[in-house]
């Protein structure tokens, strides 16, 4: 028997033992989803819910990326960005920051989709690893871009928005770092959890847009809301019209004078004001939803069996690599917290 066939047999034996220990009725009978059962192996035996959820979020991510691709063209971004934003983004270093962010995060979001396809994870490990490093590098660059323009985002001087950007930068960077550390320690189950967290944090921008739209309409319907703009920011949206000083008489004092702009949907300027007013709120609500949702998905209910399966594989890999203790060589609750020590099932120890 050649070394290649011996390695393949050992790998199959490893998966076989793991599935038997988990009570799988049919070894190797993984199912990805109803639409691809006959082609690609999946991770669960009977439950398609995690896969369907994955397809749902991946579809939104792909759609968002393709919708935002025209933003990579500066003239298009100038026209389609939120009213008033181009006033700052046409100036450096903010121009550098926003386009570094866009050119990095859009490809990262698209590539991240492939990281959760079982066929790539199981049959193209080198591709999976390479894409993973590319995504981490791109997201890091995207975070640097976000830091550069955060001071003037949505008009600037918005401390709740600055706090939300800082939170997302720390969360995505920390999650990717912990994912990298765990995979270096062959802790596959924790690597998966931390990469899922990083992807959930990254996709907050999509959820907040869905939250923001009805809130903008509600604010417009309610009325009475305003945001502060400088006169030159207002003029960058309305243009130098003959009625500019009639509409904003305070601008006679100087173009850097702050003026209240109604937040509603009755004009382009007012829409920009409504977007500024609701942006930070929508981001924080999205953060709360994603922070709780990813824990339910990755750690608590929906994929706990998958996490256990991967931990058993980690046990074998760590044992073969001489990492101690096998099954908990990475950042795990039993090693770093007060959980009971994890022990593999007897069938895996035999």
């Amino acid at each position: 028997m050649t070394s290649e066939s011996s390695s393949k047999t050992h790998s199959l034996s490893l998966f076989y033992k793991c599935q038997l220990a988990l009570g799988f009725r049919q070894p190797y009978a993984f199912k990805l989803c109803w639409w691809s059962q006959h082609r690609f192996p999946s991770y669960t035996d009977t439950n398609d819910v995690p896969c369907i959820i994955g397809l749902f979020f991946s579809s939104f991510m792909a759609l968002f990326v393709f919708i935002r691709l025209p933003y990579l063209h500066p003239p298009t971004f100038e026209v389609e960005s939120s009213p008033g934003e181009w006033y700052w983004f046409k100036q450096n270093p903010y121009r550098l920051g926003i386009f570094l962010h866009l050119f990095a995060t859009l490809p990262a979001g698209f590539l991240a989709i492939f990281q959760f396809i079982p066929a790539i994870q199981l049959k193209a490990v080198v591709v999976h690893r390479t894409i993973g490093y590319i995504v981490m590098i791109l997201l890091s660059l995207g975070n640097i871009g976000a830091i550069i323009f955060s001071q003037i985002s949505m008009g600037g001087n918005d401390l709740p928005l600055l706090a939300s950007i800082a939170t997302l930068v720390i969360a995505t960077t920390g999650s990717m770092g912990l994912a990298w550390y765990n995979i270096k320690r062959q802790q596959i189950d924790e690597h998966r959890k931390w990469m899922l967290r990083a992807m959930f944090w990254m996709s907050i921008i999509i959820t907040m847009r869905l939250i923001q739209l009805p809130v903008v309409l509600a604010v417009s319907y309610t009325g009475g809301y305003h945001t502060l703009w400088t006169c030159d920011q207002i003029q960058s949206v309305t243009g130098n019209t003959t009625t500019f000083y009639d509409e904003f008489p305070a601008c006679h004092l100087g173009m850097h004078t702050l003026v209240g702009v109604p937040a509603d949907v009755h004009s382009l300027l007012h829409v920009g004001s409504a977007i500024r007013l609701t942006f930070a709120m929508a981001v924080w609500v999205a953060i709360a939803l994603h922070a709780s949702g990813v824990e339910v998905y990755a750690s608590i209910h929906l994929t706990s069996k998958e996490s256990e399966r991967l931990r058993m594989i980690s046990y074998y890999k760590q044992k073969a690599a001489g990492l101690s203790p096998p099954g908990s060589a990475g950042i795990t609750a039993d090693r770093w917290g007060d959980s009971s020590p994890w022990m593999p099932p007897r069938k895996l120890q035999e």
Side-chain angles (χ1 to χ4, degrees):
M1 182 180 293
T2 63
S3 59
E4 182 179 354
S5 59
S6 175
S7 174
K8 183 176 181 180
T9 302
H10 174 74
S11 177
L12 292 177
S13 173
L14 185 153
F15 281 98
Y16 183 86
K17 288 183 178 180
C18 289
Q19 292 176 85
L20 285 181
L22 284 171
F24 282 16
R25 292 188 297 274
Q26 255 188 322
Y28 314 119
F30 293 125
K31 294 193 302 178
L32 174 59
C33 278
W34 54 268
W35 56 272
S36 63
Q37 293 176 22
H38 65 290
R39 293 195 62 185
F40 301 116
S42 176
Y43 296 123
T44 58
D45 56 338
T46 58
N47 189 3
D48 290 334
V49 172
C51 183
I52 294 172
I53 291 175
L55 286 173
F56 177 78
F57 284 110
S58 296
S59 300
F60 267 94
M61 176 64 78
L63 180 62
F64 181 81
V65 168
F66 282 113
I67 289 175
R68 294 301 185 189
L69 277 179
Y71 277 29
L72 300 179
H73 184 230
T76 303
F77 180 80
E78 177 183 359
V79 174
E80 296 189 6
S81 59
S82 177
E85 290 299 281
W86 185 247
Y87 171 81
W88 289 110
F89 286 141
K90 67 184 178 182
Q91 307 173 37
N92 277 321
Y94 311 120
R95 182 187 180 100
L96 170 65
I98 187 62
F99 285 107
L100 175 61
H101 180 73
L102 290 172
F103 273 93
T105 54
L106 289 178
F110 181 72
L111 289 174
I113 297 171
F114 298 95
Q115 289 300 85
F116 300 98
I117 297 177
I120 295 177
Q121 291 177 332
L122 297 176
K123 298 180 180 180
V125 178
V126 174
V127 174
H128 177 76
R129 185 183 300 122
T130 303
I131 292 176
Y133 279 117
I134 293 173
V135 168
M136 286 194 289
I137 292 171
L138 289 174
L139 277 183
S140 299
L141 292 174
N143 283 341
I144 293 172
I147 293 171
I148 292 173
F149 70 74
S150 59
Q151 183 182 359
I152 53 85
S153 183
M154 290 294 136
N157 300 317
D158 188 340
L159 291 182
L161 180 57
L162 284 172
S164 69
I165 293 173
T167 299
L168 292 176
V169 168
I170 294 169
T172 52
T173 304
S175 297
M176 289 188 297
L178 290 168
W180 176 83
Y181 176 81
N182 276 293
I183 200 60
K184 288 299 180 182
R185 299 286 295 178
Q186 299 290 343
Q187 197 70 47
I188 304 172
D189 55 316
E190 290 299 322
H191 168 75
R192 168 184 171 271
K193 290 178 183 179
W194 284 110
M195 282 309 297
L196 277 171
R197 291 182 179 110
M199 295 306 105
F200 266 66
W201 290 117
M202 181 180 70
S203 59
I204 277 175
I205 189 64
I206 303 174
T207 304
M208 65 81 49
R209 298 289 184 187
L210 299 177
I211 295 170
Q212 191 179 22
L213 177 60
V215 175
V216 165
L217 296 176
V219 164
S220 177
Y221 178 79
T222 304
Y225 292 95
H226 295 73
T227 59
L228 292 177
W229 294 52
T230 61
C231 292
D232 47 4
Q233 288 178 9
I234 295 173
Q235 197 171 67
S236 70
V237 177
T238 62
N240 190 15
T241 62
T242 55
T243 60
F244 176 76
Y245 289 103
D246 294 333
E247 295 179 21
F248 305 101
C251 291
H252 283 290
L253 300 175
M255 294 305 288
H256 294 292
T257 304
L258 288 172
V259 177
V261 177
D264 53 48
V265 295
H266 299 148
S267 71
L268 186 63
L269 177 64
H270 293 186
V271 168
S273 179
I275 291 174
R276 288 188 181 186
L277 177 71
T278 58
F279 196 89
M281 179 278 301
V283 172
W284 279 113
V285 173
I287 287 175
L289 290 174
H290 281 239
S292 55
V294 70
E295 296 307 315
V296 171
Y297 180 81
S299 302
I300 304 174
H301 296 299
L302 293 181
T303 58
S304 57
K305 196 170 184 179
E306 168 64 5
S307 295
E308 185 65 15
R309 182 186 74 84
L310 290 176
R311 191 159 192 178
M312 293 179 190
I313 296 175
S314 300
Y315 168 80
Y316 270 101
K317 287 182 174 290
Q318 290 168 352
K319 190 173 182 179
L323 298 173
S324 181
S328 302
I331 299 178
T332 57
D334 60 332
R335 187 183 176 199
W336 294 75
D338 61 354
S339 297
S340 300
W342 181 86
M343 295 296 292
R346 287 188 176 182
K347 288 182 180 180
L348 289 183
Q349 300 182 56
E350 294 175 354

